[in-house]
Amino acid sequence: QLDLLTEPAVVVADNVLKPGAPYHVWRISSMPHYRTDIIDLREFGSAPVEDWMTVSWTYRGPTYGKPAQELRELTALARESDRFRLRAMATSMKDLVGDPLDEFAARFTEEFVKLNIRSSMYVKTELVDGGNDGAISTLVRLEPGEVPPKWQGWDPREDLVGGRWRSFIGGGRFSGELQQEHQRSGW
């Protein structure tokens, strides 16, 4: 509404699954002026914890600056998300890891799948040369309807010595980048 963002602006949000940001995920996934990727990843320093990040490219258009359609089913998720956030502020998010948070994340994901919103990318981490040359994390685009692999109880980063871990962003192209390329090529 204040016209502060340039076009396109890239907006990145972390921890949108745990403790959660259901209204944000709904807005950036349902409004046509956003081109959003939801990235499924493992929480840094706590591999058993699944989380989401969003990367949204924002464009001007008729819905820019307008509120998203309100959905009653998001209210319960938002309330529960706020409760987890408050508990984490009072203690530590690490104290909330496990069943209650995992169950909430499963409900959160299930509600969004009903709304046809799901992760579109995931972070894949692999050891290089058995860990002798470190590890590399890459973004992998999911096919429509495909789900990211579930955690198998092992984090390759734990086998590294001396922090020899790299991230490679290239290869996994964001939806906003693809739209810009299509616009430039006249598609």
Side-chain angles (χ1 to χ4, degrees):
Q1 291 173 331
L2 298 176
D3 207 28
L4 297 176
L5 299 176
T6 187
E7 185 173 303
V10 179
V11 179
V12 178
D14 192 11
N15 300 319
V16 300
L17 178 62
K18 290 181 181 175
Y23 290 128
H24 170 74
V25 172
W26 169 246
R27 177 177 182 74
I28 62 168
S29 299
S30 67
M31 303 286 284
H33 62 276
Y34 291 104
R35 294 294 174 268
T36 297
D37 282 299
I38 299 174
I39 304 165
D40 184 274
L41 52 89
R42 297 280 136 202
E43 193 64 46
F44 182 79
S46 186
V49 178
E50 177 187 18
D51 202 357
W52 286 356
M53 285 184 77
T54 59
V55 177
S56 304
W57 295 57
T58 306
Y59 296 89
R60 291 198 171 43
T63 60
Y64 183 80
K66 305 281 190 244
Q69 175 190 2
E70 290 189 29
L71 294 180
R72 199 170 356 156
E73 50 264 58
L74 296 179
T75 304
L77 288 177
R79 285 184 183 145
E80 194 168 355
S81 177
D82 288 343
R83 280 194 295 274
F84 275 113
R85 193 173 293 104
L86 290 171
R87 284 175 57 195
M89 288 170 47
T91 59
S92 165
M93 194 64 181
K94 289 182 180 182
D95 295 336
L96 299 176
V97 171
D99 291 341
L101 196 53
D102 291 341
E103 290 167 8
F104 168 71
R107 282 195 307 282
F108 186 101
T109 303
E110 183 180 301
E111 284 299 321
F112 278 106
V113 166
K114 289 179 191 173
L115 297 168
N116 203 28
I117 297 170
R118 57 191 76 215
S119 53
S120 56
M121 303 177 100
Y122 71 96
V123 176
K124 177 180 179 180
T125 302
E126 296 177 301
L127 295 175
V128 179
D129 188 26
N132 295 326
D133 198 22
I136 188 162
S137 293
T138 56
L139 285 174
V140 178
R141 176 154 300 281
L142 295 164
E143 295 297 322
E146 183 183 9
V147 296
K150 293 296 174 198
W151 188 61
Q152 300 298 315
W154 172 74
D155 182 4
R157 299 172 294 186
E158 292 176 0
D159 292 339
L160 297 180
V161 177
R164 298 172 55 189
W165 170 39
R166 305 183 304 266
S167 294
F168 176 71
I169 302 291
R173 311 275 302 283
F174 293 107
S175 296
E177 289 177 295
L178 297 172
Q179 178 176 341
Q180 280 197 308
E181 289 173 12
H182 289 262
Q183 287 175 339
R184 275 187 242 139
S185 67
W187 282 25

